[in-house]
Amino acid sequence: MDKELTPLDCLLPSGTLKICLIILNQPLDVSYLHMLWSKALLRACADGAANHLYNITAGERGSFLPDYISGDFDSITAKVKAFYADKGCKLIETADQDLTDFTKCLAIMLEEIQTRRLQVDAIVTLGGLAGRFDQTMASVETLHHALSMTQLPVMIIQGTSLAYLLRPGEQLTVSRSDGTLVIRLRQPPTWNEHRSGGGLVQPHPSGRAVPNNHHWTQMEPE
């Protein structure tokens, strides 16, 4: 079944994507934060991300209280931790060192979504792509874990970068509709579909594809 994902919809004032927000321990873009925060049904900080949230929302911190902060709490400062605890934010300590704070925060969010019966289109993560290379790869690792944790799209946004990991076998076509990035995802055909001729196509990097009833075919770029 074909699916469409408009990942940048969440950054548009007119966007309708229903999201939950995870903030990671990296510098925050204030305009992205405000837009994503206003749209999020659930908001969380992974450990030291609370420090960045605290600093960037000076003067209006009462309007930016996360639903929970999780992690092993080796990065969040005592001052920031005390502030959010006093404001009633849930602090969830996750001591497991085999998983990153991002992965553990995501697992908690998925539980909260189910418990609250939230109707969610995607989970958006702010931060995670601007640190050291090993930190960026740790973010990608969590996207890989997410494939077995949820059917919801999980994506990372930071600066001019967006990361989204395809599921095994998925193919995509990227296009723009009214200035909005659109990702169309298609699952590979079954053997029976392939043999019976189901009008299959193979996307070309140019974004165009050609149907074929018997075998995979691709159009060469002009």
Side-chain angles (χ1 to χ4, degrees):
M1 179 184 295
D2 291 355
K3 298 181 294 182
E4 282 195 359
L5 175 66
T6 51
L8 299 182
D9 176 273
C10 58
L11 294 177
L12 299 175
S14 59
T16 59
L17 204 65
K18 298 175 183 176
I19 68 168
C20 289
L21 176 65
I22 294 176
I23 301 174
L24 298 186
N25 185 15
Q26 289 189 2
L28 300 176
D29 183 301
V30 65
S31 60
Y32 285 4
L33 173 67
H34 281 216
M35 183 60 66
L36 294 172
W37 192 276
S38 68
K39 293 175 178 290
L41 303 175
L42 188 63
R43 310 169 182 100
C45 289
D47 203 348
N51 299 334
H52 294 286
L53 181 65
Y54 180 88
N55 292 332
I56 204 171
T57 58
E60 50 181 350
R61 293 188 181 113
S63 300
F64 291 89
L65 300 175
D67 293 281
Y68 69 89
I69 301 169
S70 66
D72 54 15
F73 297 147
D74 63 344
S75 299
I76 188 172
T77 67
K79 175 183 177 180
V80 171
K81 185 178 180 181
F83 171 82
Y84 286 115
D86 184 63
K87 293 295 184 180
C89 299
K90 188 185 300 184
L91 301 177
I92 305 173
E93 186 168 1
T94 53
D96 183 1
Q97 295 299 313
D98 293 329
L99 298 172
T100 65
D101 286 332
F102 181 12
T103 302
K104 292 180 286 186
C105 189
L106 174 61
I108 295 169
M109 176 160 285
L110 294 173
E111 292 176 0
E112 288 291 320
I113 289 173
Q114 185 174 12
T115 299
R116 303 184 188 200
R117 298 182 178 180
L118 299 177
Q119 298 299 312
V120 179
D121 297 319
I123 296 175
V124 178
T125 305
L126 188 56
L129 300 176
R132 300 189 315 264
F133 178 73
D134 63 304
Q135 294 172 329
T136 299
M137 291 307 299
S139 297
V140 174
E141 179 190 22
T142 296
L143 293 183
H144 176 72
H145 288 312
L147 298 181
S148 60
M149 296 168 66
T150 179
Q151 291 299 309
L152 289 172
V154 180
M155 50 193 168
I156 303 173
I157 296 175
Q158 185 159 22
T160 58
S161 298
L162 182 146
Y164 171 76
L165 194 61
L166 293 177
R167 296 182 181 278
E170 276 187 337
Q171 301 159 9
L172 64 81
T173 301
V174 180
S175 61
R176 290 184 179 274
S177 176
D178 299 326
T180 301
L181 178 68
V182 179
I183 297 177
R184 292 184 176 86
L185 304 173
R186 180 181 175 84
Q187 288 290 343
T190 64
W191 175 250
N192 288 335
E193 287 174 330
H194 187 114
R195 295 289 294 175
S196 63
L200 307 180
V201 299
Q202 174 164 337
H204 188 272
S206 64
R208 298 180 294 113
V210 62
N212 186 285
N213 290 331
H214 305 291
H215 58 275
W216 293 101
T217 307
Q218 76 177 30
M219 289 182 67
E220 296 296 337
E222 296 175 352

